[in-house]
């Protein structure tokens, strides 16, 4: 561990003491029936509340940035601090002790995934233009990767980019785009040569989300809210200097983003309202309040759930400690993601069973129908950020060394590959 | 930054642990291949005495985690876990778990300097074999938990010098070959830890057919058997609680080792076995099975490590009782699932007597049930967590 970490932590503590308030009491005691009974995973906020939250997040990121904590690992020339991930983790651990606005609208996609990609693949003046603004909380970035026909098989994107002098003209449809409605810029994967094999005809562009031809439509998910968007690109003109990486070299750019995604999603703890679904004190209160403390079947399920949740926490803590010691992240990120989805899903179904018929309709009773949103959000956990099936392929092939499935065509021109549905090419 | 969780709280470093693992693995590779394990398990005593002696003389494994003031090295649970992981990987039939972990922990926890001085150095040297009888009439271990309802298996009455024991201990791991048997008996002052000589008058030992072929279990019948009290009369409940935490955490490390061996066997076979013209590991049905096994093992390993660190008193670690109970649940279930899936990946060959897969399946189920099984360990976890 670098010897300067102690003084860095001291400085960070002084900064947080000045600009934030420390959490009190640790929030351990559960007060049943008091306050908000929300256990939602996705925000179900109306647009004005959502906008206020985004403004708060940006403002806090700005304060971090102005005090040297906006981009701890970033190079100084782009507004970063030039320190190591050890410092970054130390800061995160410290900030968790304080009550500060949730900045995931900026950080999860933009700062966590798109920023590092721009840093690695963009030209100097583009980096200067976007990175300082992003890490100062001025602008939000989104990821224009998935398409209706390119989910797990991301390399089969069809959104086209055609060169026109110093510009490119983009047309196509992106889907499942988080924070697009708040974003100033998006990283798009486009097909630039359909006659090459699918991985070799893709190019990456930074798209101005306010440019003519960009249309953002909220995508309502099964839990009722609209946390994602569809983004339609119709003859959107992008200057060539906004291209990341080589022409037809976009797959390497995508891999940079995806590598950072796995780290970003896997490390997600069970914080927020949904964390109640995997909290032993909260679930014990749930049993008590429903007169089920002596129910052997319920107790056993709770113990089984608690054991898995605690063990997953131990795994995450141990990975974090190794990361702090400077070790490269191992396969734990995929394991953590699988376990996170499994545990939260199990917790939601456990709560549903305890609440019983009061989850069928909203009776108005505290802590009952509130579980509906989480229950309806759980299918997403097994899909977003890489499906369970893809995660298992990664573990089996890259960690255990099992052979790839034969017959996956990576050589034919993209144009000749089979598509879903009508099957014309 | 301070407050990071160091391995065994600084008692033994990461590099030394790696050396310990490598030395143990090399030793077992040389002395305990599958044929040797099968032969030892089928032998009269159920283990290879020569290998047992070499474990002590060449590697000092028996002494590793026992108290330094009584012939041990005091290296802690994290170090012990490394050894148990390796022993579990090859299913070494040896009285390590019974003598070193169960009896050794009971003696160290009993606070009886005389008994510790008398017995621990021999246990640490591998020259004394000790066993600890499951205290319950039904083979259970919890005095305050769900399986206390069966009552204690053995009663202690004041005798001429010490006490005399009466009753039957139904499940004593390595009880038939032990030089000394520790028994938690119902005494006038409450549950009392007693030591009985293996050859004492009035002690009948019957080796039982076992589910796990690599771990011996005996029934012990006591008929006015002379014994000495270890520690405070009536003070065994606290000792037993400590033994349960240490033993389930130790077992968890052993279970992870066994589970890893199963996953290694399954992935090796999936790469090698060809059906429909391709290695079966290319099929996602098989691939995902292996990924599921890996996931369970990663989580189980984390639980076992955390329990060991907690018992070592490492900074930032959770409550040791909770962590041990978590590890016991997660590692028991992971090993059982992985041992079963290993057979499934192997198909028919995995169901044969000649294939080692069943030895792991047997160990997995046996170790899952040894301290009470699912009905007990779930409630024990809730109790440890204060619910």
């Amino acid at each position: 561990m670098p010897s300067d970490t102690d003084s860095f932590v001291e400085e960070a503590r002084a900064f947080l003491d000045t600009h934030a308030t420390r959490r009190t009491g640790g929030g351990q005691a559960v007060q049943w029936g008091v306050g908000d009974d929300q256990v939602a995973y996705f925000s179900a906020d109306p647009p004005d509340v959502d906008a206020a939250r985004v403004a708060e997040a940006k403002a806090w990121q700005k304060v971090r940035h102005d005090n040297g904590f906006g981009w701890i690992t970033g190079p100084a020339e782009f507004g970063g601090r030039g320190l190591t991930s050890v410092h970054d983790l130390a800061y995160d651990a410290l900030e968790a002790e304080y009550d500060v606005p949730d900045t995931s609208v900026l950080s999860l996609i933009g700062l966590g995934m798109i920023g590092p990609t721009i840093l690695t693949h963009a030209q100097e003046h583009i980096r200067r233009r976007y990175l300082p603004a992003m890490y100062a909380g001025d602008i939000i970035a989104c990821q224009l990767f998935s398409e209706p026909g390119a989910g797990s098989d991301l390399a089969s994107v069809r959104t086209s980019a055609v060169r026109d002098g110093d510009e490119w003209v983009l047309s196509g449809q992106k889907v499942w785009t988080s924070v697009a409605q708040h974003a100033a810029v998006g990283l798009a994967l486009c097909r630039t040569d359909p006659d090459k094999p699918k991985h070799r005809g893709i190019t990456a562009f930074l798209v101005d989300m306010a440019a003519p031809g960009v249309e953002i439509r909220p995508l309502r998910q099964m839990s009722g809210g609209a946390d994602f968007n569809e983004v339609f690109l119709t003859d959107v003109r992008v200057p060539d200097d906004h291209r990341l990486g080589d022409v037809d070299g976009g797959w390497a750019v995508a891999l940079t983003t995806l590598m950072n995604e796995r780290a970003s999603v896997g490390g997600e703890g069970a914080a927020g309202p949904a964390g109640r679904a995997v909290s032993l004190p909260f679930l014990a209160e749930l049993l008590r309040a429903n007169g089920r403390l002596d129910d052997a079947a319920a107790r056993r399920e709770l113990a089984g759930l608690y054991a898995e949740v605690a063990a997953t926490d131990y795994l995450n803590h141990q990975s974090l400690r190794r990361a702090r010691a400077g070790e490269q992240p191992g396969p734990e990120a995929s394991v953590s993601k699988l376990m996170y989805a499994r545990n939260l899903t199990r917790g939601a179904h456990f709560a549903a069973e305890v609440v019983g018929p009061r989850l069928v309709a909203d009776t108005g009773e505290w802590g009952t129908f509130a579980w509906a949103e989480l229950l309806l959000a759980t299918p997403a956990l097994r899909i977003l950020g890489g499906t369970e099936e893809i995660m298992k392929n990664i573990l089996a092939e890259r960690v255990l060394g099992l052979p790839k499935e034969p017959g996956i065509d990576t050589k034919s021109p993209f144009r000749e590959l089979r598509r879903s549905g009508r099957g014309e090419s | 930054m301070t407050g990071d969780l160091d391995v065994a709280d600084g008692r033994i470093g990461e590099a030394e642990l790696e050396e310990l693992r490598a030395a143990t693995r090399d030793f077992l590779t040389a002395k305990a291949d599958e044929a040797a394990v099968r032969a030892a398990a089928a032998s009269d005593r159920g283990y290879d005495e020569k290998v047992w002696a070499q474990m002590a003389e060449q590697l000092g494994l028996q002494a590793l985690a026992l108290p330094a003031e009584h012939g041990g090295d005091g290296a802690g649970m994290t170090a012990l876990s490394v050894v148990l992981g390796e022993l579990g990987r090859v299913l070494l039939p040896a009285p390590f778990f019974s003598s070193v972990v169960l009896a050794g922990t009971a003696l160290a926890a009993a606070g009886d300097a005389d008994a510790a001085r008398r017995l621990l150095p021999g246990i640490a040297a591998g020259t004394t074999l000790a066993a600890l009888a499951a205290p319950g009439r039904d083979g259970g271990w919890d005095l305050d938990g769900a399986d206390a309802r069966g009552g204690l298996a053995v009663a202690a009455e004041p005798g001429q010098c010490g006490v005399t024991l009466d009753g039957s201990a139904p499940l004593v791991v390595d009880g038939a070959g032990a030089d000394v048997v520790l028994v938690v008996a119902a005494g006038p002052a409450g549950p009392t830890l007693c030591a009985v000589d293996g050859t004492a008058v009035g002690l009948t030992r019957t080796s039982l057919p076992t589910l796990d072929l690599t771990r011996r279990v005996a029934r012990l019948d006591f008929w006015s058997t002379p014994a000495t009290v270890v520690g405070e009369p009536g003070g065994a409940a606290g000792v037993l609680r400590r033994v349960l935490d240490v033993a389930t955490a130790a077992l968890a490390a052993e279970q992870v080792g066994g589970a890893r061996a199963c996953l290694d066997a399954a992935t090796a076979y999936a790469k090698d076995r060809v059906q429909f013209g391709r290695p079966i590991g290319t099929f996602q049905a098989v691939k995902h099975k292996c990924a599921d096994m890996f996931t369970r093992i990663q989580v189980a390993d984390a639980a076992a490590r955390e329990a060991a660190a907690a018992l070592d008193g490492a900074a930032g670690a959770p409550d040791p009782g909770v962590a041990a109970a978590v590890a016991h649940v997660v590692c028991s279930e992971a090993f059982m699932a992985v041992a079963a899936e290993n057979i499934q990946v192997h198909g028919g060959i995995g169901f044969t007597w000649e294939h080692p897969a069943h030895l792991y399946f047997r160990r997995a189920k046996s170790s899952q049930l040894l301290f009470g099984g699912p009905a007990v360990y779930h409630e024990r976890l809730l109790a440890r967590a204060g619910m």
Side-chain angles (χ1 to χ4, degrees), chain B residues 4 25 32 48 111-114 125 167 189 213 227-228 241 247 295 299 302 306 331 350 379 381:
Chain B
D4 278 56
R25 183 167 295 193
D48 185 328
D112 184 326
D114 284 345
L213 302 177
T228 54
R241 192 190 149 109
T295 300
V299 176
E306 200 80 5
C331 297
E379 276 302 326
L381 171 58

Side-chain angles (χ1 to χ4, degrees), chain A residues 6 90 293 299-300 303-304 306-307 311 314-315 318 321 339 389 392-393 395-397 399-401 403-405, chain B residues 1 5 271 282 284 287-288 290-292 294-295 299 302 305-306 318 322-323 326 330 374 378-379 381-382 385 387:
Chain A
D6 285 339
L293 262 188
R299 290 179 69 86
R300 183 160 168 171
Y306 173 54
Y314 299 161
L315 179 71
Q318 288 167 21
R321 281 197 293 270
M339 291 306 297
E389 288 72 18
K392 289 182 185 180
N393 283 349
L395 289 174
E397 290 168 11
V399 181
L400 300 178
K404 277 190 176 296
E405 192 155 10
Chain B
M1 242 178 59
L5 183 65
K271 288 174 197 176
T282 57
Q284 285 197 342
K287 200 174 268 187
H288 288 187
C290 293
D292 286 339
F294 175 77
T295 300
V299 176
R305 283 171 189 270
E306 200 80 5
V322 171
V326 164
V330 172
H378 286 110
E379 276 302 326
L381 171 58
L382 293 180
M387 205 189 135

Side-chain angles (χ1 to χ4, degrees), chain B residues 188-229:
Chain B
T192 300
L193 187 65
C194 302
V196 188
D197 195 286
T199 56
V201 192
L203 171 60
T204 313
R205 310 197 277 184
T206 314
S207 212
L208 304 174
T210 49
L211 175 65
D212 177 0
L213 302 177
T214 54
R215 182 169 273 156
R216 294 285 171 100
V217 178
R219 171 193 171 90
L220 269 55
D221 293 299
F222 301 89
W223 303 89
S224 301
T225 314
T228 54
V229 170

